[in-house]
Amino acid sequence: MSQTEQLISEAKRVLKENDLGGYTVPTKGLYPFQWNWDAGITALGWLHIDEKRAWAEFETLFKGQWENGMVPHVVFHQDSDDYFPGPDQWGVVGNPPSTSISQPPLLATMVRMIYEQSQDKDLAQAKLDALLPGLIRYHLWWYRERDPESTGLVSSYHPWESGMDNSPAWDDILERVPQATRSYQRRDLSHVDSNQRPVKAEYDRYVYLVDFFKDKKFDYQTIHDECPFHTKDVSLNSVLQRATKDLIHLNSLATEPVNLDEIIRGANKADVQIQALWDAERHQFLNKDYAENAPIPVKTSAGFMPLYGHSATPEQASIMAEEIKLWLEKGPKGLASTYPGEAVFDAKRYWRGPSWLHINWMIADGLSYYGHHDVAALLQQASRSIIEQSGYWEYFDPETGEGCGGSNFSWTAAIALHWLV
Ligand code: GLC
């Protein structure tokens, strides 16, 4: 078997092993449920194995959609003792139960990619028509409930919503969040070494926020006004922006297109507001602290996500392409999640340094859109070299390529199938 054949068969094995029937766990043990943005990316991997199964990933996730349109960050299809905070912790009564927050909304983009790249066009049309109403309700929820002031940027209220849990960008805001006083038992540390995971002071605040949403009965206006963790996340807003553009396109392909004026208005405003997050000195965009109404001056991979969102100008895209080359000189094994020159950089600790394959892919996809195929190719080569070296880990030390976190990881395998092999 050639190395490529070996990588393909390994990646397929990972997805099949993590398949619990209609949904794929990110990895067994550490993450035993269905996660929102993992599901979208994992579906891309299934496309290369079984198209029906790719579509099923979305259908199963949407079983957890709330009446108000939110698609939760985790849907608990079956209980498990492996994870905290599980279904009994969030106070959400639902069938299936879920968490009370969301995650970067890339689903419409993944649906569009699968629609365009699938072989069975009749199936794809039927699935697009069936999924579209739920996707539209999801996007309307973001604009209505997460931007009640119509600023053009949606709000996030938990580091887990960013998908970049312990990013140093959240450190100062998280300090303002009280620590949970109730006792609880983390489960992640029985699966992964503690130096690759968030610290206790962070976890205490994650748990406080879970309890806070429950106490506020998930009322979006109260949470907007009172939540001690409140950000305008540049990565999440970019993902939403891209997905909204793809949703508008999907609607035009639907058997019965609907009026999307409200969504189009939201998207037009967002492009302008994302521009306001540009930082000329740091050569990238910055997250924003809502309470202080100020940019968060920490260099993270999130700051390049407007490339993927198609919200940068061509000039900004060129500046970022050059900047990414500099980052790769310091951390050649994929794009570091935190700039290796930052004091807080930590090569193996989750979102404080490691490179993540799906982020490499999303940013490379954005670079190609702006014509920077050479830098996109650098990210692709780096990504390929780490899976050749280490296999399908959750994330990788950007200096050595060592695999970290959970092994046999679904979205890493999916990105390999879709992009690298
Ligand atoms: C971690 C990651 C998040 C991901 C989840 C499941 O919480 O930070 O982005 O969705 O694990 O893989």
Side-chain angles (χ1 to χ4, degrees):
M1 238 199 249
S2 72
Q3 186 171 40
T4 299
E5 283 165 349
Q6 227 163 353
L7 285 169
I8 293 174
S9 100
E10 251 311 85
K12 290 184 174 173
R13 179 193 62 77
V14 168
L15 289 194
K16 286 178 184 162
E17 267 180 32
N18 289 339
D19 183 6
L20 295 200
Y23 72 99
T24 318
V25 296
T27 184
K28 287 207 167 133
L30 185 60
Y31 302 117
F33 309 111
Q34 190 181 28
W35 263 255
N36 180 328
W37 73 329
D38 296 64
I41 288 179
T42 302
L44 269 188
W46 281 113
L47 173 68
H48 301 275
I49 303 174
D50 174 352
E51 290 184 9
K52 257 202 196 130
R53 181 61 189 78
W55 291 112
E57 195 71 32
F58 298 108
E59 291 165 330
T60 312
L61 182 72
F62 272 90
K63 287 189 182 154
Q65 183 168 33
W66 284 24
E67 245 164 57
N68 65 6
M70 182 180 81
V71 181
H73 110 284
V74 183
V75 180
F76 303 115
H77 299 289
Q78 303 169 30
D79 206 350
S80 165
D81 286 340
D82 276 325
Y83 185 84
F84 178 87
D88 56 333
Q89 296 292 316
W90 292 81
V92 175
V93 189
N95 186 19
S98 72
T99 64
S100 63
I101 54 176
S102 196
Q103 252 193 336
L106 47 64
L107 300 168
T109 303
M110 302 303 122
V111 167
R112 178 176 176 179
M113 289 186 177
I114 292 174
Y115 178 89
E116 286 174 349
Q117 292 172 34
S118 61
Q119 307 290 318
D120 187 342
K121 291 301 178 197
D122 290 341
L123 179 71
Q125 189 62 46
K127 297 298 180 187
L128 161 61
D129 287 336
L131 287 167
L132 192 64
L135 286 168
I136 293 173
R137 286 175 48 227
Y138 184 34
H139 282 237
L140 283 169
W141 170 80
W142 278 106
Y143 294 117
R144 189 182 65 243
E145 297 208 4
R146 289 313 187 88
D147 186 18
E149 301 167 310
S150 284
T151 64
L153 295 175
V154 298
S155 295
S156 314
Y157 304 127
H158 197 298
W160 289 340
E161 276 198 318
S162 71
M164 302 184 174
D165 308 10
N166 68 340
S167 164
W170 313 141
D171 287 359
D172 288 352
I173 307 182
L174 209 54
E175 288 253 321
R176 292 179 218 141
V177 177
Q179 286 172 260
T181 48
R182 66 177 170 113
S183 67
Y184 63 89
Q185 203 194 340
R186 283 174 73 168
R187 301 289 157 84
D188 56 325
L189 299 181
S190 55
H191 302 288
V192 175
D193 200 288
S194 64
N195 71 5
Q196 298 179 11
R197 296 287 305 174
V199 298
K200 179 175 185 309
E202 285 164 328
Y203 236 85
D204 282 348
R205 292 173 164 106
Y206 298 160
V207 173
Y208 174 91
L209 289 167
V210 169
D211 295 345
F212 174 84
F213 304 136
K214 185 165 60 172
D215 288 350
K216 301 297 171 193
K217 303 193 167 46
F218 316 119
D219 180 69
Y220 73 89
Q221 192 64 55
T222 312
I223 293 171
H224 176 274
D225 297 343
E226 296 177 15
C227 187
F229 186 91
H230 190 158
T231 68
K232 297 288 185 181
D233 172 345
V234 68
S235 165
L236 190 147
N237 274 279
S238 301
V239 169
L240 175 64
Q241 192 59 353
R242 169 75 178 270
T244 289
K245 291 169 187 169
D246 292 323
L247 182 67
I248 293 166
H249 183 73
L250 286 174
N251 185 50
S252 74
L253 301 170
T255 308
E256 290 176 38
V258 297
N259 182 311
L260 290 186
D261 283 355
E262 199 179 332
I263 284 180
I264 293 169
R265 267 198 302 278
N268 290 343
K269 236 187 205 164
D271 263 339
V272 178
Q273 292 308 315
I274 289 175
Q275 271 303 310
L277 302 176
W278 175 249
D279 186 276
E281 196 187 311
R282 291 183 179 77
H283 299 170
Q284 60 164 197
F285 292 80
L286 293 178
N287 290 295
K288 192 166 157 185
D289 176 338
Y290 178 82
E292 299 289 327
N293 191 23
I296 303 170
V298 185
K299 285 165 70 162
T300 65
S301 55
F304 299 121
M305 288 294 276
L307 289 165
Y308 170 84
H310 304 173
S311 303
T313 64
E315 292 72 29
Q316 290 163 341
S318 303
I319 293 169
M320 286 191 280
E322 287 308 309
E323 182 68 19
I324 288 170
K325 281 202 240 167
L326 294 178
W327 285 44
L328 287 175
E329 279 169 25
K330 286 196 184 275
K333 297 293 184 178
L335 188 71
S337 44
T338 298
Y339 178 58
E342 290 278 4
V344 288
F345 172 79
D346 190 341
K348 289 189 175 47
R349 203 182 284 280
Y350 217 31
W351 290 95
R352 302 179 81 85
S355 89
W356 294 68
L357 228 61
H358 68 298
I359 298 291
N360 291 341
W361 169 69
M362 291 164 98
I363 289 176
D365 181 84
L367 285 164
S368 298
Y369 172 82
Y370 285 94
H372 297 288
H373 302 290
D374 52 337
V375 188
L378 287 180
L379 281 178
Q380 193 176 25
Q381 284 149 17
S383 301
R384 166 94 191 207
S385 82
I386 45 186
I387 57 160
E388 280 173 4
Q389 176 189 336
S390 302
Y392 298 125
W393 287 84
E394 185 178 6
Y395 42 92
F396 301 86
D397 181 322
E399 294 169 333
T400 64
E402 186 189 326
C404 303
S407 58
N408 292 313
F409 219 83
S410 294
W411 64 12
T412 311
I415 289 294
L417 285 174
H418 193 67
W419 187 43
L420 300 176
V421 292

